[in-house]
Structures are given as C-alpha cells and as structure tokens.
Amino acid sequence: MTEFLGPDFLLDTPAAQRMYHDVVADLPIVDYHNHLPPAEIAQDHHWDNLGQLWLAHDHYKWRVMRWAGIPEDLCTGPATDRQKFDAFARAMPALVMNPVHHWSHLELWRFFGLDGTVLSPDTADRVWDVANAALPGPDFGARGLLRQMKVRFVGTTDDPLDDLAHHRAMQGDPDLVVAPSFRPDAAFKVEDEGFAPWIARLAELTGIRIDGFAPLLQALIQRLDVFVDHGCRAADHGIERLEAGPEWSEDQLTAALNRRLAGEAPTPDEAAAIRSALFVGLGRAYAERGIVMQLHLAPLRNNRQRLLDRVGRDAGADGMNDFAIAQPLNALLDRLDRTDQLPDMVLYSVNPAHNAVLATTAGNFQDGSRPGKVQVGTAWWFNDQLDGMERQMTDLAQMGLISTFLGMLTDSRSFLSFTRHEYFRRLLCRMLGRQVQDGLLPNDRAALDRLVHDICWGNAARRFLPADRI
C-alpha cells in the first residue's frame, strides 16, 4: 500500500519512480499563466496568518466549503481569519477525492513541514500554530514562497490599462522573471455596460482619439508595446462566447463601433464583427512581436446573482459552458494563417468535451516553423485534477505530440499553489511509467528523461524565458 502523499505518491512503477525522483522533482518552474498580484511579489508581501494566505483569494476553497455546508460568512464574509480557517478544517474530511484535498495537504506539507498531518478539527490548532510561526520568516513572504518552489518565471494577468509599475520595479531581478501578460478582454465585451467607459480610459491613457476601428486597434497595440517593453511574453484572451463574425470593411467596423460608443446597443452581427476583427488585428500584432496568444475558452461566469452582488466576480460561481467551438475557432485561426500571421498559440477549454477539438484544431495549423507552434494548453480549471490532466494529455498524445507540450501552470491567485506542478509531474511520470511497464514505450532512459525534462521545464523555458536565463 502506497503512503498518502508519500515519497512515491502516484509513482506506481519503477520507471515512474526513477523519472520523477532523478529527473523532474527538483526542476525549476515556469508558470506562464497565473493571477498572482504583481504588487505582492514586488513588495515581498507577508501575511499575518495562514487564514489570510490560504483562504483570502481562493475560490476553489470557497466553492467546496459551501458544498460542505459552510455558510458564506465563514467563506468570504466578516468572520475572523481563524474562524474561516477552522471552518475549512471542519470541511476537510468531506473533501476526499476532490483535488482540493490533495492540494491543501501538499501545500501544508511542502511549505510548512507538516508531513503526515491531515487537516481536521483535531489537528487545526497545531497546523495554525506551526504555519503562523513560520510566516514572519524570509522564506514565507511572496518572494520567499516562490523561491521555495524554484519558480523562475511568473506570467501575471494584466489589463491593458495597468500602469505596470510593479513589473517595472522587478525588471532586472537575477533570480525571477515576472512578466505581464496582455489581457484585453474589456475591449471585446462590446455589449457590456462598461465597454464605452473603458474605451474612454484607453483613449486618455494613449492620447489617441478613438473615433473608429483603426484608432481602437492602434491604441491597443500601443499598450501592447508598453507591455513588451516590460518583458511581456504572452497575451491572454478569456473567451466566454466564440464567434467567427462577418469580415467587415474598416468603414463598416467604424460605423458599428461609433454607434456603440454613442450609446446604441450593438446588433449581434456588429458585436461579432468587431470582436473578430480585434482578434485578427491583435493576433497579427502578437505574431510580429513574438508574443504567445493564449485562448481560454468556454467558462460560464457569474451564474449566481446573489453571490455576485455580495462578493463580486471570481467568487466560485463560475461553471463550464457547452457551446460548439470547432467551426469558429478554426475559422478565426485560418483568418490569421491566410497571410502567414498566426502567432504561437495555446488553446485551453474549461469543458473536457473540447479536448479532442482543441487537439485536432492545433494539428490543423502546425506549419513546420517550430515544434508545437499551436499548443493544447494544460487541463484548465475544473479539469485541473488527476483524471482531467490524464484525459488532456492522452488526447494530446494520441492526436498530436505530447513531446512539444508546454506542461503545467497554476492559473491561481495563491502563492502556495505551485505544489500543483509537483502533482502534474508525478502524474506525467506515472502515465509514462505505465506505458513502459505495458510494453507500449521503449524503456530508453535517455529518451524518457529528455521527454519528461522538456515537458516539465525545457519547452516552457525555451518559449518564455530569455535565452540567458534558461
């Protein structure tokens, strides 16, 4: 019987044990998409207690706490940090087989040395005391936590209007690259009430009079260039509705945009045409600048109005959508590829039913210019657990090439979440070890070592880190 989260957790073959312990366990981390606050990294933020560090921004934990019957006051409400922590400890025994159960214990054990301690009401006092005693130390500020996990690259998620002051302060750090990622979602939300005010702020920031489609694209690209000057290596698009809208002329786009900015509600065709034109225009700009374009597809957000009113966005009431993506996704990528201006891309979907669609779409647009130009991104959000990651990697391997895979990322707001890279690495080694054991892969140590090294570190490092930092 394998020990819970013990040294050989998930490593059920000799090949898996060797690959993990000898090759990937101590590799650095490139976390090329997350939601860590840049200010907290720049200022080496320290937390007063484990409740603040662990629960303040983690909608994964809030969601399962509610499911376990914990009232909102003890999740996001006015209760004290200790009361919220105790509530989470009460919920923990109910979380078995949910990934939060594994993640939480990996975080306690790897960061705080609480190996073997299973969180429950009986152990809550000890966990609280041990963690809180460690938090004032230099290894438990924001930068110390990253250092503990050997994180070399952090790709934050940033609005084009952000001033990037904290990124600027961190440029030149010899140990850690913190790069902004360009997230222009607000420019695509043509129907939203906040669209016109956001465009007005963009115009003020750039000094460009946005009175048509071309000036809008010009202003966005001006901000993109500021991001590039601050080390940006990726853009990120959160896509809640995917359309390949009509391909309109610039005059048609300008007329539709100006009507919207004047307060008229756009028609579905107008909104889709503007979004599609922005997608293509920005995609070409990314290709020209060597920026990786990430597409996060199919979330259905803010489904519970009462929670949105009380807590706000990202509170744990988002789910997966089930709209069809194959036709519009292929059409949009083709519009960029027609003129050989398709950037490097990473495709994610929150819906596991899309795995095969993403893999076959990525295969459609490989052009031989580099390995894995169009990537299937790691299992995202609700798929970020053992079964989901295994399904995603199996589909990628069988319909594409897992050897070019960029591997794991956290997509998290938590500084403790980097143990998920360990979780992923162990699972990858288990999958490959079983293939070796079953005679489906040759037991070629050099080839296997190179494969796991590249997936866990090398591929992402070559894509996102400066050459002299690899």
Side-chain angles (χ1 to χ4, degrees), residues 38 136 144 419 434 454:
T419 53
R434 288 179 175 180
D454 282 349

mmCIF file with all atom_site columns, all heavy atoms in Angstrom, residues 38 136 144 419 434 454:
data_model
loop_
_atom_site.group_PDB
_atom_site.id
_atom_site.type_symbol
_atom_site.label_atom_id
_atom_site.label_alt_id
_atom_site.label_comp_id
_atom_site.label_asym_id
_atom_site.label_entity_id
_atom_site.label_seq_id
_atom_site.pdbx_PDB_ins_code
_atom_site.Cartn_x
_atom_site.Cartn_y
_atom_site.Cartn_z
_atom_site.occupancy
_atom_site.B_iso_or_equiv
_atom_site.pdbx_formal_charge
_atom_site.auth_seq_id
_atom_site.auth_comp_id
_atom_site.auth_asym_id
_atom_site.auth_atom_id
_atom_site.pdbx_PDB_model_num
ATOM 1  N N   . PRO A 1 38  ? 0.898  41.349 -8.886  1.00 0.00 ? 38  PRO A N   1
ATOM 2  C CA  . PRO A 1 38  ? 2.284  41.806 -9.040  1.00 0.00 ? 38  PRO A CA  1
ATOM 3  C C   . PRO A 1 38  ? 2.765  42.644 -7.859  1.00 0.00 ? 38  PRO A C   1
ATOM 4  O O   . PRO A 1 38  ? 3.939  42.572 -7.486  1.00 0.00 ? 38  PRO A O   1
ATOM 5  C CB  . PRO A 1 38  ? 2.249  42.632 -10.333 1.00 0.00 ? 38  PRO A CB  1
ATOM 6  C CG  . PRO A 1 38  ? 1.062  42.120 -11.074 1.00 0.00 ? 38  PRO A CG  1
ATOM 7  C CD  . PRO A 1 38  ? 0.066  41.717 -10.042 1.00 0.00 ? 38  PRO A CD  1
ATOM 8  N N   . PRO A 1 136 ? 6.404  34.877 9.553   1.00 0.00 ? 136 PRO A N   1
ATOM 9  C CA  . PRO A 1 136 ? 7.236  36.091 9.579   1.00 0.00 ? 136 PRO A CA  1
ATOM 10 C C   . PRO A 1 136 ? 8.612  35.910 8.944   1.00 0.00 ? 136 PRO A C   1
ATOM 11 O O   . PRO A 1 136 ? 9.289  36.906 8.638   1.00 0.00 ? 136 PRO A O   1
ATOM 12 C CB  . PRO A 1 136 ? 7.365  36.396 11.078  1.00 0.00 ? 136 PRO A CB  1
ATOM 13 C CG  . PRO A 1 136 ? 6.227  35.678 11.729  1.00 0.00 ? 136 PRO A CG  1
ATOM 14 C CD  . PRO A 1 136 ? 6.045  34.435 10.915  1.00 0.00 ? 136 PRO A CD  1
ATOM 15 N N   . GLY A 1 144 ? 9.737  34.700 -1.050  1.00 0.00 ? 144 GLY A N   1
ATOM 16 C CA  . GLY A 1 144 ? 10.287 33.516 -0.412  1.00 0.00 ? 144 GLY A CA  1
ATOM 17 C C   . GLY A 1 144 ? 9.517  32.259 -0.777  1.00 0.00 ? 144 GLY A C   1
ATOM 18 O O   . GLY A 1 144 ? 10.110 31.191 -0.984  1.00 0.00 ? 144 GLY A O   1
ATOM 19 N N   . THR A 1 419 ? 2.674  23.841 -5.669  1.00 0.00 ? 419 THR A N   1
ATOM 20 C CA  . THR A 1 419 ? 2.768  22.399 -5.483  1.00 0.00 ? 419 THR A CA  1
ATOM 21 C C   . THR A 1 419 ? 1.982  21.644 -6.556  1.00 0.00 ? 419 THR A C   1
ATOM 22 O O   . THR A 1 419 ? 2.181  20.434 -6.737  1.00 0.00 ? 419 THR A O   1
ATOM 23 C CB  . THR A 1 419 ? 2.244  21.996 -4.095  1.00 0.00 ? 419 THR A CB  1
ATOM 24 O OG1 . THR A 1 419 ? 0.930  22.525 -3.915  1.00 0.00 ? 419 THR A OG1 1
ATOM 25 C CG2 . THR A 1 419 ? 3.157  22.511 -3.000  1.00 0.00 ? 419 THR A CG2 1
ATOM 26 N N   . ARG A 1 434 ? 3.720  3.614  -16.706 1.00 0.00 ? 434 ARG A N   1
ATOM 27 C CA  . ARG A 1 434 ? 2.787  2.530  -17.029 1.00 0.00 ? 434 ARG A CA  1
ATOM 28 C C   . ARG A 1 434 ? 2.917  2.109  -18.494 1.00 0.00 ? 434 ARG A C   1
ATOM 29 O O   . ARG A 1 434 ? 2.784  0.921  -18.823 1.00 0.00 ? 434 ARG A O   1
ATOM 30 C CB  . ARG A 1 434 ? 1.357  2.969  -16.723 1.00 0.00 ? 434 ARG A CB  1
ATOM 31 C CG  . ARG A 1 434 ? 1.060  3.055  -15.231 1.00 0.00 ? 434 ARG A CG  1
ATOM 32 C CD  . ARG A 1 434 ? -0.365 3.516  -14.972 1.00 0.00 ? 434 ARG A CD  1
ATOM 33 N NE  . ARG A 1 434 ? -0.698 3.486  -13.553 1.00 0.00 ? 434 ARG A NE  1
ATOM 34 C CZ  . ARG A 1 434 ? -1.889 3.843  -13.060 1.00 0.00 ? 434 ARG A CZ  1
ATOM 35 N NH1 . ARG A 1 434 ? -2.843 4.258  -13.883 1.00 0.00 ? 434 ARG A NH1 1
ATOM 36 N NH2 . ARG A 1 434 ? -2.122 3.784  -11.765 1.00 0.00 ? 434 ARG A NH2 1
ATOM 37 N N   . ASP A 1 454 ? 11.693 18.018 -20.824 1.00 0.00 ? 454 ASP A N   1
ATOM 38 C CA  . ASP A 1 454 ? 11.169 19.049 -21.707 1.00 0.00 ? 454 ASP A CA  1
ATOM 39 C C   . ASP A 1 454 ? 9.744  19.447 -21.334 1.00 0.00 ? 454 ASP A C   1
ATOM 40 O O   . ASP A 1 454 ? 9.402  20.638 -21.333 1.00 0.00 ? 454 ASP A O   1
ATOM 41 C CB  . ASP A 1 454 ? 11.205 18.572 -23.163 1.00 0.00 ? 454 ASP A CB  1
ATOM 42 C CG  . ASP A 1 454 ? 12.599 18.662 -23.773 1.00 0.00 ? 454 ASP A CG  1
ATOM 43 O OD1 . ASP A 1 454 ? 13.483 19.286 -23.153 1.00 0.00 ? 454 ASP A OD1 1
ATOM 44 O OD2 . ASP A 1 454 ? 12.800 18.108 -24.873 1.00 0.00 ? 454 ASP A OD2 1
#
